[in-house]
Amino acid sequence: MKNRIGDVTVVENKKRHRLAKPTYNHIRIQLPEGEETALLLTDKELQKGIERAKKNPEDLIKAGWIQDKMD
């Protein structure tokens, strides 16, 4: 099943270096130009982004009520 844009899914790091993390957080995103791509973030990288959003709530884009219903 394909995950929705913005959903976080933990995936195995299949060909990992011995010092690399065993899993990543996979996130599908859509760039402003419309192209879809993927992000692979460690737990630490994901947490850093969450903390940045909490510290800067004025920079977040609010979802409209229709988007809230779709999510």
Side-chain angles (χ1 to χ4, degrees):
M1 180 180 166
K2 191 174 183 182
N3 62 338
R4 296 178 308 163
I5 291 176
D7 284 351
V8 178
T9 306
V10 177
V11 295
E12 179 185 356
N13 183 353
K14 295 178 181 169
K15 293 185 179 181
R16 73 183 185 113
H17 181 273
R18 63 183 176 84
L19 299 177
K21 299 289 183 185
T23 60
Y24 287 115
N25 296 289
H26 173 270
I27 308 168
R28 277 182 57 226
I29 64 167
Q30 186 172 18
L31 300 174
E33 306 80 34
E35 177 189 356
E36 286 188 25
T37 190
L39 301 177
L40 289 175
L41 304 174
T42 64
D43 289 343
K44 188 174 184 178
E45 292 167 332
L46 185 61
Q47 189 60 42
K48 185 175 180 179
I50 291 168
E51 290 170 8
R52 182 178 295 123
K54 286 180 181 178
K55 288 180 184 177
N56 299 286
E58 70 280 3
D59 296 329
L60 300 176
I61 297 171
K62 307 292 185 228
W65 67 271
I66 294 175
Q67 186 64 41
D68 280 341
K69 297 294 181 197
M70 292 175 63
D71 289 341

